Each structure stands twice: as C-alpha cells, then as structure tokens.
Amino acid sequence: MIEAPRPKGLSMHHPPPRRRRLPLTALALALAAAGLVCGPTLVAAPAHAADRGVGFGTWAPLSMTGWHGSMRVGDQQTYCIHPGLPLATGTTTDQGIRADANGLSPQQLVSINYLVTTYGQTDDPVQAAGVGWAVKAIVDRDTTLHSWGYEGDSFREAIDYIMRRASPENSAAIQDRAERYLAEAATIRVPRIGGTLQLTTDPDDPTRGSVAADVDPDATGGLHLDGAVFADTGSSDRTSVTPGMAYPILASPPSGSDGRPYTVRARGAFTVRAAAVRYFTTPGQQESAGPAEPARFDLTAQDATPRAVRFSPRIQTVARLEGGRFVDDVSFAPGEGIWPRHTDGTFVRLRARADVYRTGAYPAESREIPAGLEPVARLELTTDPATGPGTYTTSTTDPLPGPGVYTAVWRIELADQDAETLPHLPTRYRWIEKFATPAQTQQVVQPPAPPVPTPTPTTSPTLAPPPAAQPPTTPLAATGVSSAGLAAGGSVGAAAVAAGVAAIVLARRRILTRI
C-alpha cells in the first residue's frame, strides 16, 4: 500500500508537527486518485476498523514510508487496491464478494484474487510486502511507481526507492518476490463460469458410452451418474474430473425394468477461481481486497435419446409330422431375461425363419449344414407385440415331398428384422440352430406296397374209370328172355359188327389197288 507522502522535512524519527490543511491542489489530486467509484454492494457487513497486518513501514494514514504489506480485517489479510489514498485506519466495511470492485477488469480481479489467496494469507513480512507491491502494480502501475517521487520506469527501482527507508535489509528480497508474483499473476486467465456436460451413447452398444465436462481448464469438481457407472471403477461418482476428458461409462437397464427404453443422467459440481475479490472500503481512505471464494456452479445432462434395451433372443423347437406336413412348436426367450418393449409398452417384434432339409438317412448333428444340401421347404414366424416371448406354432404350407428324414434349422438375423427392432439387437447379431438336432428331425417312411397274390397251380382232375358192369342181381323185367340168353345175344351182335367193319376195310383196299 502506498500512502500519500509526508510533507518534506518530516522524519520517522521525530514526532510530526500539527498536520496542516492540504492545499486545494493536493486535495484535488487525492480526489482524482480516488476517482474510480465502486459498484453497488451485495450485502455490506458490519463496519469495523482494520488492524495492522504483516509487512514493513508505518501504520498511519500518512507517513514518510507508508505501509507495505497486509491489513487485517477480521480473520482475513487484505491488500490495498487504490494506490495514492491514505492507509485505511478508519472504519472499514466488508462489501462482500464483488466482481466490480474499484472498477477493475475481470483480468485484474482474477490476478489479484490469485495473489491474495495463494500468497497473501501469510505471516512472512517479506512475502506480504511482495504481494502488496504486486497487487498495487496490477491495479495502477504508474501511480504505484511514482507516488513517492520516483521518476523512472523500473519496478525494482521504485520498490527499492521506498524500501531503503522502510526495511533496507529486505529490499532486494521484496523486489524479487514482487517481480515473481507479478509475472505469475499475468498468466492467470479469466475463468469461464459454467459449461456443459456431454453424454454419449455407443451406436454399437447402448449400454456403453461416455461423459465429459466441457468447463474451464482450471475448473475442479466431480460427477455423479444416475443409471450408469464409470467403466473403470464401477462407481457412479467421480472426483477430480479433468475438464474435457471423456470418461467411459456402463449403462444397464434399471433394476426391475420391464424392458422399456431408459435414460442416463449426469450431474456435475465444479469450482473455478473467481474473477472477483472480497471488497473492503474505508471512507476517504484505502480500499482493499481479500480472497474471494471460488465460483461454484452445477451442471446437468441426460441422454438425448433413451437407450434401447438390447437382448440376445434364443429359440427352442420341437417338430412333429401332421397330415404329411412338417409342424414346429417354436419357443422364443430372451438371453438376458428381459424382452425389450417400446415406449408404449408393446413388445419388440422378432422374426425368425427356418429351412427344412431332406436326407435319405438320419444325419449326424452338426454346426454346419452339409454342403450341397438344398432346402425342400421353409418356415417363418413373427412374435406378437402383445405377447412377446412364448411358444408359437407353424407348419409347412404344402405336404412334404415324399419319404425321407426331414430336419429344420431355425435362425434369427438382423437382415430379417424391421427398423424398430434393429436398435434392440447387437450389431451383426445372428443366431442359428444346429443341423439335425433330435427335436427337429422327423422321418417320413415309404408305405409298404400292397401284397401281390401268388397264383395257385391248376391240375386236371383224374377221371376214375367207370366201374365194370355188373350183372344185375335182380331179375329183369319179364321179357321172355333169360339173362343167359341176353349175354349170348350180345356176344353175337358184337361179332357181327366187327365182321362188318373188316369187310368194309377190305373192300376199300381192293378199290385202291385197282386204281
């Protein structure tokens, strides 16, 4: 702090004479030096006098050396921010945290706040004096250098010009500190208050994503997640967040979810060095600055689009034959236990297809379909949005083409799904059933041919010779001829016939000989 110099001839080692009224020109200069008026206060604290702080010089409104260091107001050490005004020994009022103190710019305020906070709260008089000189130079370098009669433009020389009287043995150290503090303060940027949180969702997996805080690089703070955890720690909270860094997160459906889309939310609490000071005023005397607490701000964010619940559906099948057709009972179930729903509560539709193959014998179960085997029929099912998972029955449209061993192979593929279902399935998702699983294999047997009758060989019946004529044992009817007479007559007749045939044959031969 630089106070108005004493009139020439006064010495620190002699009591000063009765103070004379300042000339009008000096009063005008003092008023001009105080020309910057402060803005409105937030809430003025009760007024009380400032006390001697830490430093070197004379604790009095006016003196030959002035006071170079801090003033103590309550439990804070404050530093002059109005070079040229008398030391603030009167009643001092705490004007609270102000971003418009003494009309200073945000850059001046943040630099001063950095110094009085980082180095100003000290019991070291050399350090306090260095802070005091640096703060005054930030506010008004020209007035700080030349108020005590120094006519050059060297910061170090101006300090030595005064400190040779106040504490010559510490002059060089105070110059070094003041120069270093002034250089550090010049690097402090005006902070950006506020910012945004950025939540992202991995397009290939809605359970993954990231969160980042777009805030001032010097801001410090933490994050809290609702509906997700940080992937590297498994915790929903994170401290010491690095501004701009994207932290991977894992976002699972909430406990008790019925499969509807869900939303992740993030909250952040941050602080950043304030471009403001704790502002103290003393009527007609010095204004001073104490540390201002960091500026605090909160940020929130949530997913721009709710995250779709993903699942890996599975199928269990049982086949049978009915009326020459291949019939399948297909049971759909989610691999994760949750069948996703749309926002309106309806279940996500899922389409599955199967190819039916025929072989001549029972094939071996395998992951691969035998090369060259072509399907002979196809099956298809789409789940009901009102039902979701469960068992559905389907069959081939036409009867199977003939005898053989038939097996169906079911599959679920992304290419078969509608646009509303795609977000709920993993990228490149494909599920396929094994070939020739026992529950999917049925045989159609060739029906047996009707029996061909064996012809029975036919044989001509053997005719038994007629029985020999037996003479009647009963007497014939009375004809006047006895049975002996009849037998003799028959013999004679036969001989006569034979003789006649022989005569005819002989006659024919004679005729032929003549010819």
Side-chain angles (χ1 to χ4, degrees):
M1 174 184 308
I2 297 179
E3 301 153 351
R6 288 179 177 270
K8 292 182 179 181
L10 293 180
S11 170
M12 290 182 58
H13 304 289
H14 300 283
R18 181 188 300 266
R19 184 180 301 167
R20 294 179 294 178
R21 186 184 300 272
L22 288 174
L24 291 178
T25 54
L27 179 61
L29 288 174
L31 292 175
L36 294 174
V37 295
C38 65
T41 62
L42 296 178
V43 177
H48 48 81
D51 296 324
R52 180 196 300 267
V54 180
F56 301 98
T58 302
W59 184 256
L62 296 174
S63 68
M64 290 294 297
T65 59
W67 175 254
H68 305 283
S70 68
M71 297 183 296
R72 186 175 297 279
V73 183
D75 60 351
Q76 295 194 15
Q77 297 190 67
T78 70
Y79 291 82
C80 298
I81 57 171
H82 207 145
L85 289 185
L87 183 65
T89 57
T91 301
T92 299
T93 302
D94 181 356
Q95 305 290 354
I97 305 299
R98 297 288 294 268
D100 59 352
N102 196 24
L104 299 174
S105 69
Q107 182 61 65
Q108 289 173 306
L109 288 168
V110 74
S111 295
I112 293 170
N113 190 30
Y114 167 75
L115 292 181
V116 301
T117 300
T118 307
Y119 302 111
Q121 309 306 302
T122 179
D123 293 331
D124 179 357
V126 172
Q127 183 168 310
V131 171
W133 278 99
V135 168
K136 289 180 289 189
I138 290 171
V139 174
D140 186 346
R141 186 176 186 276
D142 187 67
T143 301
T144 298
L145 265 61
H146 302 122
S147 289
W148 293 88
Y150 174 71
E151 296 181 355
D153 195 38
S154 168
F155 186 49
R156 292 184 64 90
E157 290 178 4
I159 295 173
D160 185 60
Y161 185 83
I162 301 300
M163 296 312 299
R164 275 184 298 175
R165 296 195 295 270
S167 181
E169 68 276 15
N170 291 304
S171 178
I174 294 171
Q175 293 171 47
D176 292 341
R177 296 283 187 95
E179 276 195 326
R180 178 163 66 87
Y181 295 157
L182 195 61
E184 282 187 32
T187 66
I188 305 303
R189 299 175 300 99
V190 176
R192 175 164 64 102
I193 307 298
T196 58
L197 296 182
Q198 299 170 339
L199 270 171
T200 67
T201 301
D202 188 332
D204 292 334
D205 184 354
T207 65
R208 296 183 176 273
S210 67
V211 61
D214 180 13
V215 294
D216 188 271
D218 295 329
T220 59
L223 292 170
H224 173 76
L225 299 173
D226 290 318
V229 296
F230 290 96
D232 59 340
T233 65
S235 172
S236 59
D237 294 289
R238 190 176 207 96
T239 59
S240 302
V241 170
T242 301
M245 176 176 288
Y247 294 96
I249 64 173
L250 296 175
S252 301
S255 177
S257 170
D258 65 354
R260 297 173 196 252
Y262 61 101
T263 298
V264 172
R265 294 174 175 82
R267 291 183 285 116
F270 296 90
T271 61
V272 69
R273 182 178 293 109
V277 295
R278 186 78 173 266
Y279 186 38
F280 298 90
T281 60
T282 306
Q285 294 182 333
Q286 196 52 248
E287 298 171 345
S288 63
E293 295 180 353
R296 302 177 184 276
F297 57 93
D298 296 332
L299 302 174
T300 60
Q302 68 178 38
D303 289 329
T305 302
R307 297 171 187 253
V309 174
R310 281 199 170 177
F311 73 137
S312 302
R314 298 288 187 267
I315 289 178
Q316 287 186 338
T317 56
V318 177
R320 63 183 183 276
L321 298 176
E322 286 185 6
R325 289 177 171 80
F326 193 94
V327 181
D328 228 332
D329 293 327
V330 182
S331 297
F332 291 86
E336 296 78 6
I338 299 177
W339 193 281
R341 297 176 187 255
H342 297 296
T343 305
D344 62 3
T346 58
F347 289 99
V348 170
R349 293 162 58 96
L350 188 72
R351 182 177 294 113
R353 293 186 297 120
D355 290 322
V356 181
Y357 299 92
R358 180 171 67 168
T359 56
Y362 276 93
E365 185 177 7
S366 68
R367 287 288 182 185
E368 302 294 332
I369 297 171
L373 200 59
E374 295 295 331
V376 296
R378 286 185 169 85
L379 301 170
E380 182 173 323
L381 273 175
T382 300
T383 60
D384 186 345
T387 304
T391 301
Y392 298 78
T393 300
T394 185
S395 68
T396 55
T397 303
D398 300 318
L400 296 173
V405 177
Y406 291 87
T407 185
V409 179
W410 285 90
R411 62 184 178 275
I412 304 170
E413 295 181 300
L414 281 177
D416 295 333
Q417 312 307 317
D418 58 33
E420 292 182 342
T421 301
L422 293 178
H424 299 277
L425 292 172
T427 303
R428 295 178 295 277
Y429 178 80
R430 185 172 186 261
W431 182 91
I432 186 167
E433 195 174 29
K434 286 184 178 180
F435 174 78
T437 59
Q440 280 297 99
T441 304
Q442 295 292 316
Q443 183 178 26
V444 176
V445 179
Q446 175 71 48
V452 178
T454 301
T456 303
T458 56
T459 57
S460 300
T462 303
L463 299 178
Q470 296 294 330
T473 59
T474 57
L476 295 175
T479 58
V481 180
S482 66
S483 30
L486 286 174
S491 298
V492 173
V497 171
V501 171
I504 293 171
V505 171
L506 180 61
R508 290 183 67 180
R509 286 179 177 174
R510 287 177 179 170
I511 294 171
L512 292 172
T513 301
R514 289 176 182 172
I515 294 174

